[in-house]
């Protein structure tokens, strides 16, 4: 028998230094499947020039929790991080269709006694998708240094802002060697939350801009988002 309980991936994006505060909310609810990474915001060039600012640094806190805990954590994050105030942060959840046995055991240990997550070694839950999903997460893998023109194009298509995460390619034919060491191409992952109705236009703008700037096709995809907080400025 497999439990019908859903598993959620929660991502919190806040200003640098507030990641630990967000992580403490998860720990207060006994959720230990956590990662913290660093990213950068995508303030427009005009705003940065006017204020003399660099890209705002961000903390990304990523956790995996069961749906019951997700609702409590989302509410606690909203209150603790004051997400009702513009610019204080963004939180979103995405339903997962499977987790490993090790992850399942960690989540089960966090549940109240007598409330098992699953009795199998592998949890899998199939979810029918709906056209009524309100937001989507767009992820685009781009060359370092291209974020400004790509974000300008995305804003023209209805996007309000995004977050950049540093990355690098591994094992590609384009890797170069210097003094016998392999140097992989640096990349950035651009994460953008958009209303479902704007998804196609934003994706199209990103792809067209990458083609114009590099002559290559873009690697980009979107994921449906279940719950959001801190996105009042995105609602039209």
């Amino acid at each position: 028998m497999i439990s019908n309980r859903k598993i959620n991936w929660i991502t919190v994006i806040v200003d640098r230094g507030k990641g630990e505060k967000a992580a403490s909310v998860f720990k207060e609810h006994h959720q230990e499947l956590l990662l913290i990474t660093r990213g950068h915001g995508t303030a427009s060039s005009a705003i940065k020039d006017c204020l003399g600012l660099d890209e705002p640094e961000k903390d990304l806190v990523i956790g995996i929790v069961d749906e019951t805990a997700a609702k409590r954590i989302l509410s606690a994050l909203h209150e603790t991080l004051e997400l009702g105030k513009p610019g204080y942060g963004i939180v979103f959840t995405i339903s997962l269709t499977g987790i490993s046995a090790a992850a399942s055991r960690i989540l089960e240990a966090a549940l109240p006694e007598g409330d098992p997550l699953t009795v199998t070694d592998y949890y899998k839950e199939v979810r029918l998708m709906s056209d009524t999903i309100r937001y989507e997460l767009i992820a685009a893998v781009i060359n370092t240094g291209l974020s400004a023109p790509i974000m300008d194009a995305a804003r023209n298509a209805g996007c309000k802002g995004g977050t950049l995460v540093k990355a690098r390619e591994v094992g590609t034919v384009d890797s170069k060697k210097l003094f016998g060491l392999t140097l992989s191409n640096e990349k950035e992952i651009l994460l953008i939350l958009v209303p479902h109705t704007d998804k196609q236009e934003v994706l199209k703008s990103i792809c067209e801009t990458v083609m114009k700037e590099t002559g290559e096709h873009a690697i980009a995809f979107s994921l449906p988002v279940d719950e959001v907080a801190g996105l009042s400025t995105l609602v039209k």
Side-chain angles (χ1 to χ4, degrees):
M1 178 180 178
I2 297 178
S3 169
N4 289 324
R5 191 190 302 272
K6 293 180 181 179
I7 302 299
N8 288 330
W9 165 30
I10 300 182
T11 298
V12 186
I13 303 176
V14 290
D15 289 339
R16 183 71 52 82
K18 294 184 178 179
E20 291 295 339
K21 187 175 183 180
S24 69
V25 173
F26 286 83
K27 293 176 182 178
E28 287 171 3
H29 289 80
H30 311 291
Q31 302 298 320
E32 300 297 334
L33 277 174
L34 279 178
L35 291 172
I36 299 180
T37 186
R38 292 184 172 184
H40 293 269
T42 56
S44 68
S45 298
I47 292 176
K48 288 188 295 180
D49 291 344
C50 179
L51 300 180
L53 299 175
D54 293 326
E55 295 287 7
E57 296 182 329
K58 299 292 182 181
D59 282 341
L60 280 75
V61 182
I62 301 170
I64 299 176
V65 304
D66 83 284
E67 64 173 335
T68 303
K71 295 181 184 300
R72 297 195 302 268
I73 291 173
L74 203 65
S75 177
L77 286 169
H78 192 279
E79 180 178 354
T80 302
L81 300 176
E82 300 181 272
L83 297 180
K85 299 179 180 179
Y88 272 56
I90 294 173
V91 180
F92 61 88
T93 68
I94 295 176
S95 292
L96 302 180
T97 58
I99 60 174
S100 68
S104 178
R105 286 193 291 270
I106 293 173
L107 292 182
E108 188 172 0
L111 292 174
E113 189 173 351
D115 186 16
L117 175 68
T118 176
V119 294
T120 63
D121 288 335
Y122 182 79
Y123 170 89
K124 186 176 182 181
E125 180 266 326
V126 177
R127 185 170 69 96
L128 295 177
M129 303 311 300
S130 168
D131 289 335
T132 61
I133 294 171
R134 193 175 182 184
Y135 290 98
E136 298 222 8
L137 173 68
I138 293 177
V141 181
I142 62 177
N143 292 334
T144 300
L146 283 181
S147 61
I150 289 174
M151 276 306 305
D152 286 343
R155 286 191 182 93
N156 289 335
C159 162
K160 300 297 183 182
T163 301
L164 289 167
V165 180
K166 297 292 184 180
R168 62 182 177 88
E169 289 182 318
V170 294
T172 67
V173 295
D174 294 329
S175 295
K176 299 179 181 179
K177 287 192 174 183
L178 179 64
F179 302 123
L181 299 176
T182 299
L183 304 177
S184 297
N185 291 335
E186 290 189 351
K187 298 287 185 180
E188 291 177 326
I189 302 173
L190 177 60
L191 303 176
I192 302 173
L193 275 173
V194 297
H196 175 68
T197 52
D198 293 344
K199 178 191 70 175
Q200 287 302 121
E201 283 300 316
V202 173
L203 275 172
K204 180 181 177 182
S205 293
I206 290 173
C207 293
E208 288 179 347
T209 303
V210 171
M211 175 62 74
K212 177 182 177 181
E213 296 287 338
T214 69
E216 299 178 355
H217 292 285
I219 298 175
F221 55 89
S222 65
L223 297 168
V225 172
D226 295 327
E227 302 287 343
V228 296
L231 283 179
S232 58
T233 56
L234 289 184
V235 179
K236 292 185 175 181

